[in-house]
């Protein structure tokens, strides 16, 4: 199932994106979910053609946990080795925006980079999840852009400031609950020029390992998001550009870039 | 006004802590606030003697922003200088606990440290707050313990994991809305032995400066908490100990320490 959050004519709703029975294979309907998408969703009966809704970030997480240096080639391009344990950092929930929302470059940074990533959305409260059951607590997968003010990241040592600006965590376009994320092609394009190309099979610590590792530190709650790290090919964005991150089976997350 | 969050006989409420008019100077009542403590609180009319309630963390923040190396002597004891800009990191909201709740030492750390700190609680949504108006968006002040798995902090480089374990952010005992926090004595005791003694006037970046700096990165929301950094004297905790952080006019935050 594809779960999304949309602005519809009367407000904001969680929806399932389903083929329109009147024109299968052509049109998609946004079918409203009652309350929230966790557990077995119930439907309200309301539905809208996609032309009448706007996709928002598919979830508003209570926390966004990120992992650094989780593709060996990216660790190398940053001048370091893959560390033995996942390197954790966080982005604030206020950084989250949805598809098509502008990434706003702060005036005090000279270099703002894209970082395309696979994101796992947690589906249930959990703590100390064994690695063998790591994917069982995952509701589904979406795409993230771990936007980073690279100059501030290098100046600060701690990565929080550089990765926490409002709009620095595009998420979407939806959460796919049926995809096996163990070997998906990931591609980032800037103005249609490919800049990152990799596969999730090259993650140093896979989703199950990351869920287990993070949940041994902190309780994870429904809607929390784990960003699994970016492959090599990171680079700067310029105002006026569009950045797209595509993952097989999960769609494409596109955001324009603006000066704030 | 002293704002608290309490478990009362029928549930959880925000309250104001007020002198009992029947025995002024002796007893305090927990006077229930309708909904939330932001803006001008309205009261429901329900009230309880303190013996009938249990203090919880005074707020459940959407984010906890922390500042490193913000007292010069503490920066020196950690073997470094005071950096030119505040060093930001975050703790997840799942780390927050209230007064008297146990700090649980994770099994995979050899050294868990206390860090007593002044905490500012944000009272309104804000972004890009000028430094001259930094304290205007502060609802009030409380006390925090920025508990840290020191060995993991040093091993990881990034500080997130070491500071994010469940129970690693005791907050309380209440939020005082009437205190000028610019020069308050701060004292941490472990089993009644003083281990940290300083004054908030020694903060390298004061509350107004921190609020301004953080709000230039991210939108702050009502209830968000900024931990202002710890003075020198940090040291390890052992299971069975009690750690208390006291700040003039803000009370004392005491938590027992347990092996998780």
């Amino acid at each position: 199932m594809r779960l999304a959050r949309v602005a519809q004519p009367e407000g904001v709703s969680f929806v399932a994106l389903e083929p329109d029975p009147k024109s299968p294979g052509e049109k998609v309907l946004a079918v409203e979910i009652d309350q929230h998408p966790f557990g077995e969703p119930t439907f309200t009966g309301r539905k809208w053609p996609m032309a009448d809704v706007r996709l928002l970030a598919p979830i508003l997480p209570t926390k966004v946990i990120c992992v650094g240096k989780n593709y060996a080639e990216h660790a190398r391009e940053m001048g370091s080795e893959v560390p033995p344990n996942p390197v954790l950092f966080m982005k604030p929930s206020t950084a989250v925006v949805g598809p098509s929302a502008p990434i706003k470059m702060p005036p005090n940074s000279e270099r703002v980079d894209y970082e395309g990533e696979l994101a796992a959305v947690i589906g249930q409260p959990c703590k100390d999840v064994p690695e063998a059951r790591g994917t069982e607590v995952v509701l589904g997968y979406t795409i993230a852009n771990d936007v980073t003010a690279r100059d501030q990241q290098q100046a600060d040592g701690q990565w929080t400031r550089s990765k926490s600006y409002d709009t620095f965590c595009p998420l979407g376009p939806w959460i796919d609950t049926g995809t096996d994320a163990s070997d998906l092609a990931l591609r980032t394009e800037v103005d249609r020029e490919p800049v990152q190309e990799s596969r999730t099979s090259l993650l140093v610590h896979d989703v199950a390992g990351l869920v287990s590792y993070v949940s041994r530190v902190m309780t994870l709650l429904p809607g929390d998001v784990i960003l699994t790290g970016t492959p090599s090919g990171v680079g700067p964005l310029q105002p006026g550009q569009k950045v797209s991150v595509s993952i097989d089976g999960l769609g494409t997350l596109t955001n324009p870039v603006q000066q704030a």
Side-chain angles (χ1 to χ4, degrees), chain A:
Chain A
M1 196 185 298
R2 289 183 166 176
L3 300 168
R5 216 173 113 258
V6 298
Q8 35 86 354
E10 290 161 54
V12 171
S13 300
F14 285 107
V15 296
L17 304 180
E18 297 191 350
D20 185 343
K22 291 182 197 151
S23 56
E26 288 179 45
K27 283 192 182 167
V28 170
L29 291 177
V31 182
E32 189 179 47
I33 292 170
D34 196 23
Q35 306 291 343
H36 64 74
F38 304 105
E40 195 63 44
T42 56
F43 296 93
T44 65
R46 297 206 295 178
K47 51 192 73 175
W48 303 274
M50 290 303 285
D52 290 357
V53 301
R54 182 165 54 87
L55 289 169
L56 306 173
I59 199 73
L60 294 178
T62 73
K63 51 187 177 283
V64 179
I65 313 299
C66 310
V67 181
K69 301 178 187 169
N70 200 25
Y71 287 85
E73 269 197 52
H74 171 62
R76 278 194 288 275
E77 79 178 347
M78 299 308 283
S80 65
E81 296 297 309
V82 171
N85 288 323
V87 180
L88 301 187
F89 60 97
M90 285 190 288
K91 289 166 106 81
S93 51
T94 38
V96 172
V97 292
S100 306
I103 295 166
K104 294 185 182 169
M105 299 177 61
N108 61 348
S109 172
E110 301 292 317
R111 179 169 164 168
V112 174
D113 281 17
Y114 56 82
E115 294 191 358
E117 309 199 1
L118 171 72
V121 181
I122 300 297
Q124 59 190 74
C126 57
K127 181 83 174 67
D128 296 327
V129 180
E131 185 162 341
R133 306 186 63 175
T135 57
E136 289 177 27
V137 299
V138 173
L139 173 67
Y141 296 95
T142 188
I143 302 170
N145 193 337
D146 174 17
V147 182
T148 304
R150 191 71 69 201
D151 49 354
Q152 296 182 8
Q153 181 187 31
Q154 286 162 353
D156 285 5
Q158 295 304 304
W159 299 347
T160 300
R161 178 171 67 128
S162 64
K163 289 171 174 282
S164 292
Y165 285 88
D166 288 2
T167 77
F168 270 28
C169 190
L171 281 183
W174 47 69
I175 300 165
D176 193 295
T177 64
T179 296
D180 173 351
S182 59
D183 185 26
L184 302 176
L186 181 157
R187 187 175 60 256
T188 306
E189 296 182 350
V190 176
D191 286 345
R192 303 199 172 187
E193 192 72 36
V195 288
Q196 293 188 292
E197 289 201 82
S198 190
R199 301 192 70 83
T200 58
S201 50
L202 296 173
L203 285 169
V204 176
H205 305 280
D206 66 9
V207 170
L210 293 175
V211 167
S212 177
Y213 188 79
V214 173
S215 76
R216 285 174 203 282
V217 178
M218 61 189 91
T219 298
L220 292 170
L221 298 177
D224 285 354
V225 174
I226 298 178
L227 271 56
T228 60
T230 200
S232 63
V234 298
L237 293 167
Q238 302 298 337
Q241 290 181 325
K242 276 194 182 183
V243 55
S244 296
V245 186
S246 302
I247 298 182
D248 272 2
L250 302 182
T252 297
L253 170 68
T254 300
N255 298 86
V257 181
Q258 291 179 359
Q259 194 67 49

